[in-house]
Amino acid sequence: MRAGEPAGSAIARSVDLARHVEQWGYKRYWLAEHHSISGLACSATPVLIGHVAAATKTIRVGSGGVMLPNHAPLVVAEQFGTLEALYPGRVDLGLGRAPGGDFKRCGRYEGICSKAGKIFRRCSMNYRPTLDPRSRGKW
């Protein structure tokens, strides 16, 4: 975000950039997840992915990393399964295990990262039909 810029304006510029790179032939547009950092408007990655995918036609839109310690793994699986149903073949899910914020938060998540990954794998097995590229958009 630019200094003093409202988050909505920064998000609109991101959507505009996605439209341009799609016209220029780019195949993917990823959005980052960051928390507790002023000047960034990217803490709700799935919401932004849906917003950008709705404003574009062909480009794949994805997460540069949903940080599992910050989210319930089942919710992540459901959100991305739903995004895939809405935008078949256009949603990428990148996962991370860092807290995705300032260094003060890092200590709170020590030791739960691998547990979150195991839970996500278990939960996503139930959503294999929507996450499996062979069944794009089918429930």
Side-chain angles (χ1 to χ4, degrees):
M1 290 172 39
R2 296 175 179 149
E5 180 180 25
S9 174
I11 291 168
R13 285 190 305 103
S14 186
V15 169
D16 187 54
L17 178 61
R19 287 179 178 146
H20 278 90
V21 299
E22 181 178 51
Q23 291 173 348
W24 297 334
Y26 282 76
K27 303 297 181 203
R28 287 190 162 82
Y29 188 82
W30 281 19
L31 297 143
E33 175 182 323
H34 293 283
H35 301 276
S36 305
I37 300 174
S38 63
L40 298 179
C42 53
S43 59
T45 312
V47 174
L48 295 175
I49 289 169
H51 188 60
V52 170
T56 55
K57 293 181 176 22
T58 59
I59 198 165
R60 293 184 67 90
V61 185
S63 60
V66 171
M67 300 300 116
L68 286 178
N70 297 324
H71 307 282
L74 176 60
V75 172
V76 173
E78 290 176 334
Q79 288 172 340
F80 278 82
T82 302
L83 285 167
E84 175 62 24
L86 291 169
Y87 308 102
R90 294 186 53 218
V91 176
D92 290 327
L93 170 59
L95 297 173
R97 57 185 183 173
D102 60 14
F103 290 109
K104 289 183 244 174
R105 294 166 51 102
C106 292
R108 284 193 271 160
Y109 294 105
E110 196 170 333
I112 67 167
C113 297
S114 63
K115 181 179 177 186
K118 289 175 188 172
I119 293 169
F120 179 82
R121 281 191 295 279
R122 199 170 355 152
C123 293
S124 65
M125 296 307 286
N126 295 330
Y127 293 91
R128 194 65 66 193
T130 58
L131 297 175
D132 188 330
R134 293 171 293 191
S135 60
R136 296 182 196 268
K138 297 177 186 169
W139 285 97

